[in-house]
Amino acid sequence: MESSKSQQRSTLAGLVENASIQRDGSRLGHGVPIYVKELIAGGFAGALSKTTVAPLERVKILWQTRTAGYHTLGVYQSLNRLTKQEGFLGLYKGNGAGVIRIIPYAALHFMTYERYKSWILSNYPMLGSGPIVDLLAGSAAGGTSVICTYPLDLARTKLAYQVVETQGSFKDGVKGAHSQMGQNNIKSVLTSAYREGGVRGLYRGAGPTITGILPYAGLKFYMYETLKLHVPEEHQKSILMRLSCGALAGLFGQTVTYPLDVVKRQMQVGNLENAGHENVRYRNTIDGLRIIVQNQGWRQLFAGVSINYIRIVPSAAISFTTYDMMKAWLGIPPQQRSRSVSAG
């Protein structure tokens, strides 16, 4: 009799606990469309990952654009020099534009990935439900998010490219031109770019960006989902597992597409005075790759790749892990996969 009562009490306690968990988990998600939850989860994941690695991102940009005084230094020396010239906050210069860009970018990226994936699964069942769908959906999502947010990436690069002494005088990255000295915030950079080239000026360097993001975003999602398929079921919810899969996925995608990122950065700052690449204008992506190899050597196509590896591992790991955790917290249901494909 006592054991029966005890069993009833434990069952009742379990039901109360489950009801409490469900209530807490759905508090923010009640009545909110799934795509809105996906936007929130993606935006938060992007902002957190971007801010975490912002100092490394700035050094990478200075290396890629061959900014005088930086492209021959190591990671620690570059960070130290930046701190001496601009103070601690100088490490995060351009991060405001980066975060303003990454929130809508990551939100759109993850949300459209889920929507494209759902559409492919519904309309093209012959493709199955394995990682190939993630490859296609990720590529389409990457292209969509880049087109929608590219001007903010342009502003972030130009702000990060400028090196200023703490007293306020411009040095190294930008020299002399008064019109460039006024570009100290997002609005002034975008206004200047629009006056110089109209809408095309706001999308300078977009060619290599889109060319690079299609395989990069696709491969990133493909690798992440593929790696998760090989993780034992009991470890599927492990944070360490998600961090590891995200890091490897980002590392693989960046290695394949990195030279296109170098071309993009040099195109973005092409109108600023820089002795490093002599203000050469590239007509398109292929022309940029050819001229960089001819004038700066093939190694320049991988300038900053070492720091990018240091940056992309925590960035991709934090981004994917945070997104998965936010999806669970907001109550976003997972996309259905066929058992046979998952087992394979």
Side-chain angles (χ1 to χ4, degrees):
M1 186 71 175
E2 282 297 321
S3 62
S4 176
K5 287 183 178 179
S6 175
Q7 188 175 14
Q8 288 177 351
R9 281 197 299 269
S10 63
T11 303
L12 180 61
L15 290 172
V16 170
E17 184 180 356
N18 286 338
S20 175
I21 291 172
Q22 288 177 354
R23 233 184 359 258
D24 292 341
S26 60
R27 186 174 299 163
L28 289 178
H30 183 68
V32 179
I34 289 180
Y35 73 88
V36 174
K37 296 179 185 180
E38 291 165 351
L39 285 170
I40 294 171
F44 184 81
L48 181 62
S49 63
K50 177 63 66 176
T51 301
T52 302
V53 299
L56 296 175
E57 177 71 15
R58 179 153 194 221
V59 170
K60 186 194 77 168
I61 290 174
L62 294 175
W63 286 3
Q64 288 178 323
T65 54
R66 295 177 61 84
T67 302
Y70 283 89
H71 67 284
T72 58
L73 299 179
V75 177
Y76 174 77
Q77 292 90 340
S78 296
L79 292 170
N80 189 47
R81 181 176 177 129
L82 266 177
T83 305
K84 288 181 179 179
Q85 288 187 315
E86 300 184 346
F88 176 76
L89 293 180
L91 298 175
Y92 290 86
K93 186 174 180 181
N95 187 55
V99 169
I100 291 173
R101 178 193 74 93
I102 202 64
I103 290 177
Y105 173 84
L108 282 170
H109 197 175
F110 282 107
M111 186 274 286
T112 54
Y113 161 73
E114 299 285 0
R115 297 304 94 209
Y116 284 133
K117 183 176 178 179
S118 178
W119 181 80
I120 293 171
L121 290 173
S122 299
N123 293 278
Y124 295 94
M126 73 288 295
L127 293 176
S129 57
I132 188 66
V133 176
D134 299 300
L135 177 66
L136 297 173
S139 296
T144 301
S145 53
V146 162
I147 290 171
C148 292
T149 62
Y150 185 81
L152 291 171
D153 186 44
L154 178 74
R156 187 276 304 267
T157 299
K158 289 195 173 188
L159 288 171
Y161 172 72
Q162 299 175 7
V163 181
V164 187
E165 296 284 2
T166 52
Q167 292 83 1
S169 61
F170 276 61
K171 188 176 181 179
D172 293 328
V174 178
K175 302 179 182 179
H178 176 74
S179 61
Q180 307 297 346
M181 294 180 66
Q183 295 185 16
N184 55 8
N185 57 56
I186 300 171
K187 181 180 178 181
S188 63
V189 170
L190 294 179
T191 300
S192 175
Y194 182 77
R195 286 175 179 169
E196 179 187 337
V199 175
R200 291 187 64 181
L202 295 175
Y203 282 83
R204 182 186 301 278
T209 304
I210 295 173
T211 304
I213 197 63
L214 294 179
Y216 170 64
L219 287 170
K220 190 170 63 172
F221 280 106
Y222 174 86
M223 287 295 296
Y224 183 64
E225 296 298 333
T226 300
L227 289 168
K228 286 202 300 182
L229 287 177
H230 292 84
V231 175
E233 190 171 346
E234 62 269 22
H235 298 301
Q236 282 288 329
K237 294 184 179 180
S238 165
I239 293 178
L240 181 60
M241 180 280 298
R242 291 173 176 171
L243 287 170
S244 301
C245 290
L248 290 172
L251 199 63
F252 179 77
Q254 276 287 300
T255 301
V256 174
T257 61
Y258 190 80
L260 295 170
D261 192 47
V262 174
V263 177
K264 176 188 75 171
R265 298 300 181 196
Q266 293 203 9
M267 289 179 75
Q268 286 178 330
V269 301
N271 64 318
L272 303 178
E273 294 187 15
N274 184 336
H277 56 79
E278 300 176 352
N279 198 25
V280 174
R281 297 291 184 91
Y282 307 137
R283 293 190 300 272
N284 51 53
T285 306
I286 301 300
D287 187 52
L289 290 169
R290 181 183 63 79
I291 292 177
I292 288 175
V293 171
Q294 181 179 318
N295 295 347
Q296 303 168 27
W298 67 267
R299 292 179 184 273
Q300 180 60 28
L301 293 176
F302 293 90
V305 71
S306 59
I307 197 171
N308 204 52
Y309 286 152
I310 299 172
R311 178 192 70 87
I312 200 62
V313 168
S315 178
I318 292 170
S319 180
F320 275 117
T321 302
T322 303
Y323 180 66
D324 272 353
M325 294 178 70
M326 287 291 291
K327 280 175 64 179
W329 186 62
L330 292 171
I332 301 173
Q335 299 282 357
Q336 294 299 315
R337 290 183 180 275
S338 66
R339 183 68 183 166
S340 60
V341 173
S342 296

